[in-house]
């Protein structure tokens, strides 16, 4: 109910002022919050019409395309965002899209670049390890997992992935 009220209020704001970029963005957020993804896309696009360099709208728009499994369109939107600012999140999202498109080497490069920017985020390592598993590069995966475990030794998914890497590497005693 509250999200629907938010939609109503943001819609009123853009009805009163059709150039109100932030209201379009928040309207898009509200629509996505109630799973009205196509309406969310429309609102993000409208915000970008008024402010083509609206970085956060680009990121959110690519996220909705990813939710819809429209990975190529998500990648195009991410490339537009890269022209404004290179961030860890953009590399992660790009890595996810490339992974879903079975372009695993591009996914690996995206996750590796994300680690270069911020090597404290474990979601970057897990994304990279999953991509490395897809191309069966277990040794490189083990080296990255060891690096990650130094930073987050109690992270259960990292230990799970380490086991998978050792299994793939036919390293059964350490799996």
């Amino acid at each position: 109910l509250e999200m629907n009220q938010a939609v109503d209020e943001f819609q009123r704001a853009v009805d009163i002022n059709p150039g109100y970029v932030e209201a379009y963005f928040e309207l898009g957020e509200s629509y996505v919050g109630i799973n009205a993804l196509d309406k969310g896309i429309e609102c993000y696009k409208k915000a970008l019409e008024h402010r083509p360099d609206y970085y956060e709208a680009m990121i959110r728009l690519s996220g909705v395309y990813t939710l819809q499994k429209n990975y190529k369109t998500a990648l195009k939107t991410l490339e537009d965002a890269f022209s404004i600012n290179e961030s860890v999140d953009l590399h992660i999202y790009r890595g996810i899209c490339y992974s879903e498109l079975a372009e695993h080497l591009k996914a690996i490069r995206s996750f590796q670049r994300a680690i270069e920017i911020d090597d404290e985020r474990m979601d970057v390592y897990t994304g990279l390890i999953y991509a490395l598993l897809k191309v069966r590069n277990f040794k490189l995966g083990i080296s990255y997992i060891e690096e990650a475990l130094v930073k987050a030794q109690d992270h259960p998914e990292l230990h799970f992935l380490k086991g998978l890497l050792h299994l793939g590497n036919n390293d059964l005693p350490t799996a």
Side-chain angles (χ1 to χ4, degrees):
L1 182 64
E2 289 179 21
M3 197 63 82
N4 288 329
Q5 290 172 328
V7 166
D8 291 343
E9 293 304 322
F10 292 129
Q11 186 61 57
R12 278 191 196 103
V14 297
D15 288 344
I16 294 167
N17 180 358
Y20 199 165
V21 176
E22 292 79 7
Y24 278 115
F25 178 82
E26 294 301 336
L27 183 57
E29 294 283 271
S30 299
Y31 277 131
V32 170
I34 60 173
N35 206 29
L37 301 182
D38 288 334
K39 288 185 176 185
I41 287 171
E42 289 174 28
C43 293
Y44 295 136
K45 284 182 172 180
K46 197 71 168 169
L48 287 165
E49 280 178 30
H50 292 285
R51 191 184 318 152
D53 64 344
Y54 197 168
Y55 181 75
E56 192 65 30
M58 290 177 198
I59 292 173
R60 298 289 199 213
L61 180 59
S62 71
V64 176
Y65 286 137
T66 300
L67 286 172
Q68 292 182 323
K69 300 185 184 317
N70 190 348
Y71 302 113
K72 289 182 180 179
T73 305
L75 282 169
K76 168 65 176 105
T77 305
L78 288 171
E79 293 310 316
D80 293 342
F82 269 111
S83 70
I84 297 169
N85 181 31
E86 179 185 17
S87 73
V88 172
D89 288 330
L90 289 182
H91 285 285
I92 291 170
Y93 299 148
R94 185 164 64 179
I96 291 167
C97 289
Y98 281 137
S99 289
E100 293 297 329
L101 292 168
E103 295 185 41
H104 301 298
L105 296 178
K106 288 181 179 179
I108 289 166
R109 284 194 294 275
S110 291
F111 289 121
Q112 286 172 324
R113 180 64 185 125
I115 288 171
E116 290 172 11
I117 296 169
D118 183 354
D119 66 353
E120 297 296 319
R121 297 227 355 222
M122 294 305 110
D123 56 339
V124 178
Y125 284 97
T126 57
L128 175 58
I129 300 309
Y130 282 114
L132 289 168
L133 282 164
K134 291 285 188 180
V135 297
R136 304 182 60 77
N137 192 337
F138 307 117
K139 289 185 190 230
L140 185 57
I142 290 169
S143 71
Y144 275 109
I145 211 80
E146 293 294 342
E147 181 182 321
L149 283 168
V150 167
K151 302 167 198 298
Q153 60 188 349
D154 293 329
H155 194 291
E157 190 174 12
L158 293 176
H159 289 283
F160 170 78
L161 289 170
K162 185 176 181 182
L164 290 178
L165 289 164
H166 283 299
L167 280 175
N169 201 38
N170 288 321
D171 209 4
L172 298 180
T174 53

